Amino acid sequence: MENFKTLVEEMKLYFNVTSLEMVAEKLGLKKSTAIGWRQRKRISSHAILKFNQLKYKQNNYINSVDKNLQQTEKINNKDTILIPFYKNYYLSSDFINDNNIIKQTIPFNKNELNNMFNLQEFLKMGIITMIGNSMEPTIKEGEMVVFQKDDSSIEGGIYIVEYQKEILIKRLKKRPLCLISDNKEYPIIDIKKSKELKIIGRIIGAYKIDYKKL
């Protein structure tokens, strides 16, 4: 309840409006959508993601997610999990670290996550926004990328990695050790020293939210 009230006040303040119906309208939704939010005492996940995209689209850096990924173990109730949405994150073929990490947790229904990505465990997860075309057609620019720190290093898997002080999303090849973009216009990155490569998380899926006002 308290989280719902806090989020509503934050949204109203950001859009400079006085009602939840006006917030829904600002997000490109019907005003009547706010009725369901108010009855359930919960803003829908896709509306929160849209709000975060609008609010933080100018922010563009992140340097480490290990500590924040632990926060996904905090559960609102038996059916809900809080997933960090990384707002200081600029994602392209290559981008630079920054010391300022701004994060907001987004509530997700476990059944929805399971249906979307066939997940059985819901620990150490995070969400970022894809910017750039280095992983097209697999991951397209603007899609929401969901990742999980599971300590794996699967051959051919797609990972968020840190290499030579840069954060990258690439496909992992072990022999020889290198990072590959699905967009063939990008060169293969050969890893000279394995200890210089840090795996932050494995990409488990991506989705895009489109809004159309009717």
Side-chain angles (χ1 to χ4, degrees):
M1 174 75 73
E2 185 64 30
N3 289 339
F4 171 75
K5 291 181 179 180
T6 301
L7 180 58
V8 169
E9 291 305 313
E10 181 183 357
M11 287 178 160
K12 287 164 61 176
L13 180 63
Y14 175 78
F15 289 122
N16 193 26
V17 297
T18 58
S19 71
L20 195 55
E21 285 75 13
M22 297 172 73
V23 168
E25 189 175 40
K26 289 290 186 179
L27 291 172
L29 304 171
K30 294 181 179 180
K31 286 185 177 181
S32 58
T33 305
I35 298 175
W37 295 345
R38 196 175 285 110
Q39 290 175 342
R40 295 188 299 271
K41 303 298 181 185
R42 184 172 73 89
I43 306 294
S44 62
S45 300
H46 69 271
I48 296 174
L49 286 173
K50 178 63 174 178
F51 174 63
N52 286 330
Q53 287 178 306
L54 291 173
K55 187 175 180 181
Y56 299 106
K57 63 182 179 180
Q58 298 301 322
N59 294 331
N60 57 7
Y61 296 107
I62 190 174
N63 76 330
S64 173
V65 297
D66 288 341
K67 182 177 180 180
N68 291 324
L69 288 175
Q70 304 293 336
Q71 300 300 317
T72 61
E73 298 183 34
K74 294 182 178 179
I75 307 299
N76 275 348
N77 55 56
K78 64 179 181 179
D79 298 319
T80 304
I81 183 173
L82 302 178
I83 301 181
F85 176 70
Y86 292 93
K87 298 167 282 194
N88 268 13
Y89 198 99
Y90 179 80
L91 183 57
S92 60
S93 59
D94 302 294
F95 58 91
I96 303 172
N97 293 325
D98 184 82
N99 290 326
N100 297 317
I101 301 175
I102 303 177
K103 172 183 66 66
Q104 179 172 336
T105 55
I106 301 173
F108 268 87
N109 181 274
K110 289 183 178 181
N111 288 330
E112 291 177 1
L113 283 174
N114 185 41
N115 291 334
M116 293 168 69
F117 305 118
N118 194 29
L119 284 174
Q120 302 302 320
E121 295 186 357
F122 306 92
L123 303 179
K124 300 180 182 179
M125 298 176 64
I127 298 174
I128 57 175
T129 304
M130 182 70 181
I131 300 176
N133 65 351
S134 67
M135 290 304 292
E136 289 187 357
T138 308
I139 304 176
K140 297 181 179 180
E141 184 170 15
E143 289 186 327
M144 307 303 293
V145 180
V146 182
F147 64 97
Q148 187 171 39
K149 183 174 178 58
D150 58 6
D151 299 321
S152 69
S153 56
I154 301 171
E155 175 74 20
I158 303 176
Y159 288 87
I160 303 178
V161 302
E162 181 177 358
Y163 179 63
Q164 293 185 343
K165 298 183 179 180
E166 294 181 347
I167 303 295
L168 310 169
I169 284 192
K170 301 292 180 184
R171 199 174 289 278
L172 179 66
K173 183 178 179 182
K174 294 183 178 181
R175 298 181 181 177
L177 185 59
C178 60
L179 301 172
I180 301 174
S181 299
D182 283 8
N183 186 338
K184 301 307 178 184
E185 295 182 2
Y186 289 80
I188 295 174
I189 300 175
D190 294 314
I191 309 298
K192 303 301 182 183
K193 298 179 180 180
S194 59
K195 64 180 181 181
E196 294 181 354
L197 179 67
K198 178 183 178 182
I199 295 178
I200 296 175
R202 179 174 62 88
I203 306 300
I204 59 176
Y207 62 98
K208 189 167 185 176
I209 301 173
D210 293 316
Y211 287 82
K212 181 171 65 176
K213 185 177 180 180
L214 301 176

